[in-house]
Amino acid sequence: MATSASAYQKLLSVGTKIVGVGRNYAAHAKELGNAVPKEPVLFMKPTSSYLPNGGTIEVPYPLLSLDHEVELAVVVGRKARDVSESTAMDYVGGYALGLDMTAREIQASAKSAGLPWTVAKGQDTFTPISSVLPQSMVPDPHNLELWLKVDGEIRQKGSTADMIFKIPFLISHISSLMTLLEGDVILTGTPQGVGPVKVGQKIDAGITGLLDIHFNVEKRQKPQM
Amino acid sequence: MATSASAHKKLLSVGTKIIAVGRNYAAHAKELGNAVPKEPVLFMKPTSSYLANGGTIEVPHPLSSLDHEVELAVVIGRKARDVSESNAMNYIGGYALALDMTAREIQASAKSAGLPWTVAKGQDTFTPISSILSQDMVPDPHNLELWLKVDGELRQKGSTADMIFKIPFLISHISSLMTLLEGDVILTGTPQGVGPVKVGQKIDAGIKGLLDINFNVEKRKTAKSS
């Protein structure tokens, strides 16, 4: 599908949802003491949580840090419902690099209480994301090296080859539950090495050979009411 | 703000998210064995889950029922971020009646495993919803009687006066976490009486004196894979 560069940039603003996939890398599941799942763990992040490259991640009061999770994002290219694995890649509109910023303590409390992950995952600026790469620039999404540094020090490095549930399966599985629309994003999970980034620190992350992104981390300032 | 009927209809299609509030009626928290929360329990449902009035709720294989939860929906009228409780009502674009359909067994498994509620709450047709009522049709959203029947038999009846966290607080609280945009919907919780509606049954629900909605419940048929 021939699409202009600006059309690729618009994809994210058209999208209606972000579906996150938890525990999709075995070593990451293990590092957080979680079992490797039999089917994908799915959660949602609102599109209000997007933060474009170069922006400032806002740590909400009273937290001093958020956990970083670098992920390959699959951008849906057209409406997908009950899509088979064999045709799933036809529904991809592009790729991006995203960070699934997570308030880890809030998520831990939610988990022990059996409550949703929404507050831990869905606040404003909690989904920093790169611009969209067309499929032609990413011939094999299952052979990409993802990396993330905090203040220049490498924290995460992994290969999308290590995804437990691959992209065609994820598109097929998710589309069997909910209709995916153009611009919707699937965050495909994070490799090991997640950990806190503190207020005042900087994040650099990238897909080796393709793109990199950078964000500052600051305390969220609330306006005077 | 004077808005035409078609502008009201468009509000739902413009919206970017559905934020739902769990356990916002004390008797409902109790009936499911849950503690009354100190702050609102928030979860998301995707806009792909909307089902317009008169539609068919689809029960996914291998389930034979879904739980119904009738709720007042608040539709946001303009961008809201860090809104104070005293100003919150100025950000409302209208109201609607919705059902937060829930795959209860899937939710129960998710809760014991500490996992998200997304699959239990977010599948297609899991948010049946009425058309939008303008604010002037609803002078007091905290004094509405909500009701729901299955096959003509009353199952839920409650008053929005019993909401634990009222609408201004919900708008203020949610907007302190995430920016709300025009057309975004807040589902404000359900009164007691939730329970299963089975494949083949019909749901009628309403806000007394204002509107009613109806839906069929059928098995979801999966399309043959192409």
Side-chain angles (χ1 to χ4, degrees):
Chain A
M1 177 174 101
T3 315
S4 69
S6 60
Y8 282 115
Q9 298 332 309
K10 277 191 195 155
L11 260 188
L12 284 183
S13 58
V14 166
T16 70
K17 56 183 171 285
I18 302 165
V19 183
V21 182
R23 305 186 196 170
N24 201 26
Y25 287 71
H28 167 62
K30 190 172 170 182
E31 78 185 336
L32 291 188
N34 293 319
V36 166
K38 297 191 204 72
E39 55 173 34
V41 171
L42 302 178
F43 59 92
M44 295 188 60
K45 292 174 66 110
T47 54
S48 47
S49 64
Y50 279 136
L51 178 69
N53 186 27
T56 298
I57 296 164
E58 297 181 357
V59 180
Y61 177 86
L63 308 175
L64 303 168
S65 70
L66 294 173
D67 268 32
H68 54 75
E69 299 193 359
V70 67
E71 319 218 347
L72 178 68
V74 173
V75 186
V76 178
R78 57 189 175 105
K79 180 169 163 177
R81 176 59 165 158
D82 288 325
V83 162
S84 67
E85 280 188 65
S86 54
T87 56
M89 297 308 281
D90 296 345
Y91 293 83
V92 175
Y95 300 92
L97 189 68
L99 306 182
D100 175 22
M101 301 308 293
T102 302
R104 193 69 71 198
E105 317 89 322
I106 296 178
Q107 186 193 30
S109 302
K111 285 168 73 178
S112 25
L115 292 179
W117 296 2
T118 303
V119 176
K121 294 271 191 187
Q123 301 195 41
D124 277 12
T125 76
F126 277 31
T127 313
I129 193 154
S130 71
S131 49
V132 177
L133 295 165
Q135 273 191 293
S136 52
M137 292 188 68
V138 188
D140 187 1
H142 297 101
N143 193 23
L144 302 173
E145 184 181 88
L146 310 180
W147 59 269
L148 182 143
K149 294 179 181 173
V150 173
D151 283 356
E153 187 186 277
I154 199 106
R155 295 284 185 86
Q156 292 188 269
K157 192 157 130 182
S159 170
T160 58
D162 295 332
M163 271 191 220
I164 296 170
F165 300 106
K166 307 295 188 211
I167 293 167
F169 178 84
L170 290 175
I171 292 172
S172 178
H173 176 75
I174 295 169
S175 76
S176 77
L177 300 166
M178 51 181 80
T179 299
L180 292 166
L181 296 170
E182 185 185 7
D184 286 358
V185 160
I186 301 171
L187 295 175
T188 59
T190 194
Q192 75 273 24
V194 300
V197 55
K198 299 180 218 175
V199 166
Q201 294 189 307
K202 291 185 190 314
I203 292 178
D204 297 283
I207 305 176
T208 299
L210 272 177
L211 59 74
D212 43 79
I213 52 179
H214 326 274
F215 301 92
N216 299 317
V217 180
E218 297 296 345
K219 270 189 195 183
R220 187 156 112 65
Q221 310 291 346
K222 275 200 199 181
Q224 291 305 315
M225 299 233 206
Chain B
M1 179 172 100
T3 318
S4 71
S6 59
H8 276 121
K9 275 194 186 140
K10 273 195 198 153
L11 259 188
L12 282 182
S13 57
V14 163
T16 69
K17 55 182 171 288
I18 302 165
I19 303 287
V21 183
R23 304 185 197 171
N24 201 25
Y25 288 72
H28 167 62
K30 189 173 171 181
E31 77 185 337
L32 290 188
N34 291 320
V36 166
K38 297 190 204 71
E39 57 173 34
V41 170
L42 302 178
F43 60 95
M44 293 183 57
K45 292 171 69 107
T47 54
S48 47
S49 65
Y50 280 136
L51 178 68
N53 187 26
T56 297
I57 295 163
E58 298 181 357
V59 180
H61 177 80
L63 308 175
S64 37
S65 71
L66 293 173
D67 268 32
H68 55 75
E69 299 192 358
V70 67
E71 319 217 347
L72 178 68
V74 172
V75 186
I76 298 295
R78 57 189 172 105
K79 181 170 162 176
R81 177 58 165 156
D82 287 324
V83 164
S84 67
E85 279 188 65
S86 52
N87 285 329
M89 300 304 280
N90 297 326
Y91 291 82
I92 295 180
Y95 299 92
L97 188 70
L99 308 183
D100 174 21
M101 301 307 293
T102 302
R104 193 70 71 199
E105 315 90 323
I106 297 178
Q107 186 193 29
S109 301
K111 285 168 75 177
S112 23
L115 292 179
W117 295 2
T118 302
V119 176
K121 295 275 192 183
Q123 300 195 41
D124 277 12
T125 76
F126 278 31
T127 314
I129 192 157
S130 72
S131 50
I132 300 184
L133 297 165
S134 58
Q135 272 193 292
D136 39 77
M137 292 188 69
V138 188
D140 187 0
H142 296 103
N143 193 23
L144 301 173
E145 184 179 284
L146 310 181
W147 59 269
L148 182 144
K149 292 178 181 175
V150 173
D151 282 355
E153 187 185 278
L154 189 71
R155 296 285 186 86
Q156 292 188 269
K157 191 161 131 181
S159 170
T160 57
D162 295 333
M163 271 192 221
I164 296 170
F165 300 105
K166 308 295 189 211
I167 292 166
F169 178 84
L170 290 175
I171 293 172
S172 179
H173 176 74
I174 294 168
S175 77
S176 77
L177 301 166
M178 50 181 81
T179 299
L180 292 166
L181 296 171
E182 185 185 4
D184 286 357
V185 161
I186 301 172
L187 297 178
T188 59
T190 194
Q192 75 273 23
V194 301
V197 56
K198 299 180 216 173
V199 165
Q201 294 190 307
K202 290 185 189 318
I203 292 178
D204 296 280
I207 305 176
K208 189 168 171 185
L210 274 178
L211 61 73
D212 46 79
I213 51 180
N214 27 74
F215 300 92
N216 299 317
V217 180
E218 298 296 344
K219 269 190 194 179
R220 186 157 111 65
K221 301 180 174 15
T222 306
K224 285 300 208 219
S225 299
S226 47

